[in-house]
Amino acid sequence: MASVSPLAKYKLVFLGDQSVGKTSIITRFMYDKFDTTYQATIGIDFLSKTMYLEDRTVRLQLWDTAGQERFRSLIPSYIRDSSVAVIVYDVANRQSFLNTSRWIEEVRTERGGDVIIVLVGNKTDLVDKRQVSIEEGDGKAKEFGVMFIETSAKAGFNIKPQPLNHPNNRANSANMMDDASEFMPFSEQQIPANSVL
């Protein structure tokens, strides 16, 4: 009788200021659509997606957090058992970029080095309104030792699925999700062994 291996689960928590596009990124990833009428997330939203990779099946648990200050006290409990923290800023909003330092520190306070952190500059479609260069985003990622990508949830740029073993899956890659068929914004080797929930 063949044994059935347990389904590996990875908790991804999406963090960042209000209106940076966390919900839009998740919606684009889950349903490949963009809605211009999003309402602010109240508290925390949860979605789950099973991914069938070449060598295994994994379940991603996507936790969408509210960016408003009044919900900040809820967030540490969701960071504590996360495998990945996706910290999003709006490239057309410099303050949201500056605030990513605080988000990164909060993740490190709760999880230490036991979490993968991905810094995501969203809304690259707003070319004429850009306030944060790709070099600044990459520089901050290097400074904090985290991964970095830029995306546009609206245009679907860099939100396509990506295989775990894709050659672009490495820290500080600006085009991590190009030409891909399955999603995971980090390599198999980077997944903490104790991250199965």
Side-chain angles (χ1 to χ4, degrees):
M1 182 188 277
S3 66
V4 177
S5 59
L7 183 65
K9 296 178 186 174
Y10 300 100
K11 179 178 178 180
L12 287 77
V13 62
F14 286 73
L15 305 166
D17 289 359
Q18 182 176 359
S19 300
V20 296
K22 299 178 297 292
T23 302
S24 296
I25 290 171
I26 292 170
T27 302
R28 175 64 76 180
F29 171 65
M30 292 290 293
Y31 310 111
D32 194 24
K33 71 176 196 170
F34 180 83
D35 187 348
T36 57
T37 61
Y38 287 110
Q39 294 185 1
T41 301
I42 305 298
I44 308 285
D45 282 342
F46 169 80
L47 291 165
S48 180
K49 183 168 185 148
T50 301
M51 302 298 301
Y52 302 96
L53 308 176
E54 286 181 22
D55 61 339
R56 65 184 172 153
T57 302
V58 298
R59 170 150 304 151
L60 301 181
Q61 299 176 337
L62 308 172
W63 295 83
D64 183 9
T65 65
Q68 301 99 311
E69 194 64 39
R70 64 188 168 135
F71 295 112
R72 285 294 288 231
S73 63
L74 300 173
I75 292 174
S77 62
Y78 291 93
I79 295 172
R80 278 187 204 118
D81 59 351
S82 61
S83 306
V84 179
V86 180
I87 299 173
V88 182
Y89 67 91
D90 175 351
V91 300
N93 178 337
R94 176 158 287 284
Q95 190 60 51
S96 72
F97 173 71
L98 297 174
N99 291 344
T100 60
S101 300
R102 186 176 67 161
W103 290 106
I104 292 169
E105 293 299 333
E106 188 165 346
V107 170
R108 293 247 164 91
T109 298
E110 294 298 330
R111 296 287 289 139
D114 294 333
V115 64
I116 296 160
I117 300 174
V118 184
L119 181 63
V120 177
N122 190 34
K123 302 188 183 182
T124 58
D125 54 286
L126 300 176
V127 177
D128 295 338
K129 296 180 180 179
R130 184 184 275 269
Q131 296 178 6
V132 182
S133 71
I134 192 168
E135 292 81 14
E136 288 176 285
D138 188 52
K140 180 171 270 197
K142 287 177 180 170
E143 175 189 342
F144 282 94
V146 302
M147 298 174 70
F148 172 69
I149 61 171
E150 283 197 337
T151 65
S152 169
K154 184 175 184 177
F157 173 69
N158 267 354
I159 302 181
K160 286 192 277 182
Q162 166 111 5
L164 285 172
N165 58 359
H166 192 277
N168 286 339
N169 267 343
R170 54 188 168 278
N172 302 320
S173 172
N175 294 307
M176 230 154 82
M177 296 186 216
D178 283 347
D179 303 320
S181 60
E182 297 178 37
F183 171 83
M184 191 78 72
F186 44 85
S187 74
E188 208 165 18
Q189 294 77 27
Q190 293 172 309
I191 298 172
N194 61 353
S195 64
V196 177
L197 303 175

